[in-house]
Amino acid sequence: MEHNTDDLSPLLQKNRAWAAKMTAEDPEFFQRLINQQSPAYLWIGCSDSRVPSTQLVGLQPGDMFVHRNIANVVVHSDLNCLSVLHYGVTALKVRHIIVCGHYSCGGVQAALADTRGGMVDNWLRHVQDVRNKHAAIINACPNTTMQVHRLCELNVVEQVVNVCQTTVVQHAWERGQRVTVHGLIYDITDGLLQDLSLQVSAPQDLNDQYERAIAQIAASNR
């Protein structure tokens, strides 16, 4: 029988194979997932299909709470992201919030080049704000590829700041909850994550951490 390419049969077949494999390796795996969700990590990343958040760090289902959007942006008026952040911090008690961007990000490229894409242009305005704020660093790059790389990194740094300045994280720190916000960048060409030297565990650490991360990115052009 010829397969109907419009249905989801291939995905359903792969799902059954995956579930069988997980059960064969660990018969109690799904029962544990039902009874408890206690991830240590909250991942805020890009929606890009080439960046599989849990998979690229070798974690299993239940190990990471995830929010993804175009260009991994954290906006103080985005109730979707803020709700995920609030639930992750207050209910799940995550210890680490990871903002992860990636090189060759289509959203960042569009923001850099002022490419028109319709509705997404309004969202990418936030990345263009980052571009404008750090124009000196970006303009010092020798070519467009490096400009995109630098803006991808700078965007992560600015979104880490936004996470740290949310009422969710500020209130968590005020009540003594241990939460650390990190900035990472993923390289699709080799599958490796890089630390952007940004790790904030208290409000008083933010400025120094921010300045160090920005200085490191600026130095990459030399």
Side-chain angles (χ1 to χ4, degrees):
M1 179 181 296
E2 186 176 333
H3 176 64
N4 181 359
T5 58
D6 293 331
D7 69 27
L8 296 180
S9 295
L11 291 186
L12 296 176
Q13 291 170 4
K14 290 180 179 180
N15 164 253
R16 282 158 178 73
W18 171 79
K21 177 176 179 290
M22 297 300 290
T23 302
E25 293 176 353
D26 181 357
E28 304 300 322
F29 178 76
F30 291 107
Q31 188 60 45
R32 287 199 305 275
L33 288 184
I34 292 173
N35 294 332
Q36 183 177 3
Q37 179 182 203
S38 56
Y41 308 97
L42 165 58
W43 176 283
I44 300 175
C46 183
S47 298
D48 194 302
S49 60
R50 300 168 295 175
V51 188
S53 52
T54 304
Q55 191 175 353
L56 66 86
V57 288
L59 295 181
Q60 295 290 337
D63 291 339
M64 180 179 283
F65 201 48
V66 177
H67 173 79
R68 297 171 69 173
N69 62 56
I70 294 176
N72 44 272
V73 173
V74 178
V75 185
H76 294 291
S77 58
D78 180 8
L79 297 182
N80 185 351
C81 182
L82 293 180
S83 296
V84 172
L85 186 62
H86 182 267
Y87 189 80
V89 171
T90 62
L92 300 179
K93 307 296 184 187
V94 297
R95 291 285 302 276
H96 303 275
I97 301 170
I98 299 166
V99 178
C100 185
H102 66 97
Y103 295 124
S104 304
C105 178
V108 171
Q109 293 180 43
L112 180 67
D114 285 316
T115 304
R116 295 292 181 89
M119 181 65 70
V120 72
D121 298 343
N122 301 282
W123 182 254
L124 295 178
R125 180 70 249 178
H126 302 292
V127 183
Q128 290 178 325
D129 289 342
V130 176
R131 176 199 66 185
N132 296 339
K133 180 177 181 179
H134 298 288
I137 295 175
I138 294 169
N139 292 337
C141 294
N143 53 57
T144 302
T145 299
M146 295 307 297
Q147 287 183 334
V148 174
H149 279 12
R150 293 293 87 80
L151 185 52
C152 288
E153 295 166 348
L154 291 163
N155 184 51
V156 170
V157 171
E158 293 296 339
Q159 305 316 318
V160 166
V161 172
N162 288 345
V163 170
C164 292
Q165 291 178 340
T166 61
T167 56
V168 174
V169 174
Q170 290 285 317
H171 291 167
W173 284 336
E174 287 172 5
R175 61 178 177 264
Q177 185 174 339
R178 296 179 63 185
V179 181
T180 302
V181 187
H182 310 260
L184 303 178
I185 191 92
Y186 178 68
D187 193 337
I188 294 173
T189 64
D190 60 14
L192 297 179
L193 288 167
Q194 298 178 32
D195 191 339
L196 292 177
S197 298
L198 192 55
Q199 183 174 304
V200 187
S201 300
Q204 62 270 22
D205 298 338
L206 179 57
N207 287 340
D208 288 343
Q209 292 278 339
Y210 174 81
E211 291 176 4
R212 184 177 70 175
I214 294 296
Q216 178 175 289
I217 292 171
S220 299
N221 288 333
R222 301 192 188 112

